[in-house]
Amino acid sequence: MEVWTSHQGLPHNSVNAITQTDDGYLWFATWEGVARYNGLSFELFSRDVKTGIADAGIRTLVADQQNRLWIGGARGGLTLHQDFSWYPQALAKSLINHVLVDHESNLWLAVEGEGVFFRPYLGNNEYGNGRQVLDVGAYRLVQATNGVIYAATSAGVYRVSQTNAEQLSIPSVPDKTRIYYVASDHQDELLIASAKGAWRFDGNTFSPVAEELSGSVVTLIEEDDEGTLWLGTLDKGLARVGYRQVDYIDTQSGLPNNRVISWFQDVEGSIWVGTNGGILRLRTAPFQSVDEQAGLLGNFVRTVLQVPGERFLVGSSEGLSLLEDGQAFPASDDLVARQSVLSLAALDSGDALVGTQRSGVYEWRMGKMRQLYSQGNGLPANEVRALLEDSKGRRWIGTVNGLVLVESDGSMTQINQHNSDLPDDYIMALMEDHRGRIWIGTAQGVAFYDRRNQIKQIDISTYEGAQYVFGFYIEPGFIWMATDRGLLRYDAMQNTLSGIGKPAGLPIDKFFQVIYDHMGSFWLSSNRGIWKVGYVEAHRVASGERHTVNFEHFGEEDGMGSSQANGGSNPAAVSSRGGNLVFATANGIALIRPTALKQLYQYRLPVVVEEVDADGVKVNPKIDKQLGAGVNRVRIKFAGLSYIMPQRLQYQTKLVGFEEEWNYHGNQTVAEYTNLPPGHYEFLVSARYPYGEWNATKHSLKFEIEPLLWQRKDAQLLASLGLLFSIGSLMYWRVHSLKSRQRELAQQVRIKTQALREQSEQYERLAKEDPLTGLYNRRAFDERVRRDFMMASQSLRQLNMAIVDIDHFKQVNDRFSHLVGDEVIKLVAHYLQYTVQPPNIVARWGGEEFTLLIHGDEEEAEKFCQKLLVGVSQLECEALHMQFNLTVSIGLSNALGCSDYQTLLKRADQALYEAKEAGRNRVVKYQEFRIY
């Protein structure tokens, strides 16, 4: 579910109608105009001369053939939109509730309080005078395939024609009952929504839809592509009528408002619901989230394991669940199953080992839990984060105090730092390779247990100081490790280590699990979402054949309940035999089927040209095929109209007549051309999803740039002859007068330019400068951080924010006066201004607080802040008479994981608070990464 309101760009929260035109645009009718949506932003069209819309209050939208859109609303306003053109129509007597274009292209209008009106089609987007065919206030019209037209009115449902209107009687419903909506289903039966429930009419008899709604006000009824009926209500939200049951979506489950007034299913299958509080979109996202609402015991999931069939055991902080077909239920009736579960392991019998946080290891067999191992019978700790049954039937138990090997005869051996070369006793991952070696991931590195019963370490710190090993993926010859410094590859044949981390272009370091989807991609889980990288490409980067790796990132906007995938225990992700990928997250299970994602990427995307301007003047590309002579800059804005994952769309363009090759634009949706010579051009644009194919049906836009007079050959010939004739007689006079005039003009220009420059600089400085310190003020800093945050998010570069606060500043004002306080602020400001160099910036935030925007990774930013801390403490202020130690506290945050720059600021402020609470005169950075 996704929601849009006025906060996301809607002009008004009441959405009266929704439709989609042939070109792919979605349109929303509101009381403040009609909004066109391209998947990323809304464009508002309202009352003005261009559109011909009579009033901003729009009640209905109807998509017609040939990319036409009918817009009707308040004051009887009616306008036809087609491509880039608008065709205002004659006004109706009152508010137009609905428009119907019949099979012969005639127009029918449902008018509030007036009735139904018919307008004959005359051709060329023109219609004859309207005549009334029903004098009862009408709300909705629909035409059946046999040509019969039905009208929903304030006094029942009618069958209407150009000459007649006949009321239909619904059994047990009074004839004057208000009918809000009529529609047709896939069997061409009439669907009716009324003040007394919903009905279906097959041409002869009426039958109720959803008996439990028989006494409710039903505002609309529609059938989706799969045959499911959807009913909007006045105060109960949206009802979905399935086989023998009715499900509701209301404000408790995410609907913006319980009054539903519009419904639409787009060409991609998404369902859009308009309410009095905004829009709700229901779609099949790449990820499916399963949480407590689906029966899971607890949302904080730490481990997941496939058991026979496409079923999964799910261990969470509140117990063990069994997941099957998107529904979860307790895996056991035993109370011991409702404790915190950290790890799981499959047994040859089809059962499973269950590692808990406080009670050791259990066996799950046929829905029953039986304790096997604990501190009471041989475990060094009850907290078990990794489990494994190897090919010899031995069981390996990884605890926070060491490793335990349980032989097939039940004997137990403890393995730890004191009796082996184990790098650390905190065990987080266990896996067996193809040679029978057991790989062990710890909080201080990695080791393996070989066939000689010896522990051997592999030094991974050589790659960027890697330390934590959270998970493994093992293939013949290679061991892949998810670590705190990226994805590492150990070549078992060459005994070499390489990695794919920040040096290879990944924006983060810490990955918890790596799984392979058997379709050519690795999937990496992290605290900041799921990352997809190509399998072959990963090998090439690890082998040094490539320097960077391409990646695709998934998060909450793609259907995950939380972008925080959990790690530190195993397995926290699984690639199932049925082709599903399942991840443990902080808000349930995130499940994706890569084959479905691939099918989505193969979708042929409609692409439109949204706007064309020549030298800043908008032109209509459907009409204005010729651009005037002397055009210097042509700017073309385009969009791929897909609404599933619009932010992932990629574009390429080519201007035939100017370019030979396609230009890749990434996610950018604008192409600009300057100094194009006169001639004929064709602009081509194509779109795709990442890893998908480019849209074969490329959008084409043809235009011509006319030559200037001097660029025409006949004009050039005449000009040459004229020039030769007059050049001799005019030369002396022209040179003399030009020089004189040039001197006069140059002097005037210098005087006026200097005055304007001084005035402009003064205004600019006053608007953005703090008067006390000369630093940027809060307004200037806000503008800069908003821009840098957006650029950093798009390019996945790192950005940091620091808030600097002068310690005990109130004492300075109280003991020495506010004038001395101002001197202290200026002293610190001067030092910061001298120390902070571009592209970093410093600003006075207010009072004794300063803000810094620091580009680069988090570690360098922290070092820089430590430098500032020392530098300020060494400043000398004569006004303080050596009676006050000048120090500052600094809070630091990183933009990774921040959805907007306000979050970045809040995190820095929280870190500053912690610095003060810890005693001041220190740097504290916001910490998001945790191990549970």
Side-chain angles (χ1 to χ4, degrees), residues 19-27 37-38 67 266-267 606 608 641-643:
T19 195
Q20 188 171 27
T21 43
D22 292 342
D23 53 18
Y25 279 116
L26 282 171
W27 300 78
Y37 187 52
N38 63 11
N67 203 40
D266 67 22
V267 296
V608 296
L641 299 181
S642 174
Y643 304 94

Side-chain angles (χ1 to χ4, degrees), residues 463 499-506 541 547-550:
Y463 184 83
I500 305 170
K502 283 189 175 180
L506 289 176
V541 172
H547 297 297
T548 59
V549 64
N550 294 312

Side-chain angles (χ1 to χ4, degrees), residues 702-732:
K702 295 181 180 180
F703 63 92
E704 176 189 1
I705 296 181
E706 297 178 329
L708 292 165
L709 179 63
W710 59 268
Q711 291 175 317
R712 294 168 46 186
K713 291 183 178 180
D714 55 350
Q716 291 174 351
L717 178 60
L718 289 174
S720 299
L721 294 174
L723 180 63
L724 290 174
F725 178 79
S726 58
I727 191 170
S729 59
L730 295 176
M731 179 66 73
Y732 176 79

Side-chain angles (χ1 to χ4, degrees), residues 193 217-222 230-234 237-239 258 260-261:
V217 176
V218 180
T219 55
L220 64 83
I221 181 170
E222 288 281 2
W230 297 81
L231 281 65
T233 71
L234 188 67
L238 181 68
N258 278 338
V260 177
I261 49 182

Side-chain angles (χ1 to χ4, degrees), residues 71-84:
I71 304 168
R75 299 178 185 246
L78 183 64
T79 298
L80 175 63
H81 175 267
Q82 186 176 27
D83 299 323
F84 291 84

Side-chain angles (χ1 to χ4, degrees), residues 844-911:
R844 186 182 180 199
W845 192 247
E848 69 273 23
E849 286 189 348
F850 302 87
T851 49
L852 283 70
L853 192 62
I854 307 171
H855 292 258
D857 64 56
E858 191 175 18
E859 293 179 359
E860 290 298 321
E862 184 178 11
K863 291 179 182 178
F864 180 75
C865 289
Q866 292 289 356
K867 175 184 174 183
L868 295 179
L869 198 73
V870 175
V872 172
S873 68
Q874 295 175 349
L875 296 176
E876 295 183 3
C877 181
E878 295 180 0
L880 295 177
H881 307 298
M882 301 297 290
Q883 298 177 25
F884 186 89
N885 293 325
L886 183 59
T887 62
V888 294
S889 298
I890 302 177
L892 176 66
S893 65
N894 185 273
L896 286 175
C898 295
S899 58
D900 50 42
Y901 76 93
Q902 291 96 336
T903 303
L904 178 63
L905 178 63
K906 290 178 182 176
R907 291 183 173 183
D909 191 57
Q910 177 63 32

Side-chain angles (χ1 to χ4, degrees), residues 198 200 208-213 218 220-224 226-233 238-249:
R200 189 193 298 268
V209 175
E211 290 280 4
E212 66 182 77
L213 288 171
V218 180
L220 64 83
I221 181 170
E222 288 281 2
E223 185 180 46
D224 67 19
E226 297 179 354
T228 300
L229 288 179
W230 297 81
L231 281 65
T233 71
L238 181 68
R240 179 173 54 190
V241 181
Y243 180 68
R244 293 184 178 178
Q245 70 176 29
V246 178
D247 299 321
Y248 290 91
I249 300 174

Side-chain angles (χ1 to χ4, degrees), residues 665-677:
H665 286 259
N667 304 119
Q668 299 299 313
T669 59
V670 173
E672 277 196 32
Y673 302 94
T674 57
N675 299 317
L676 290 175

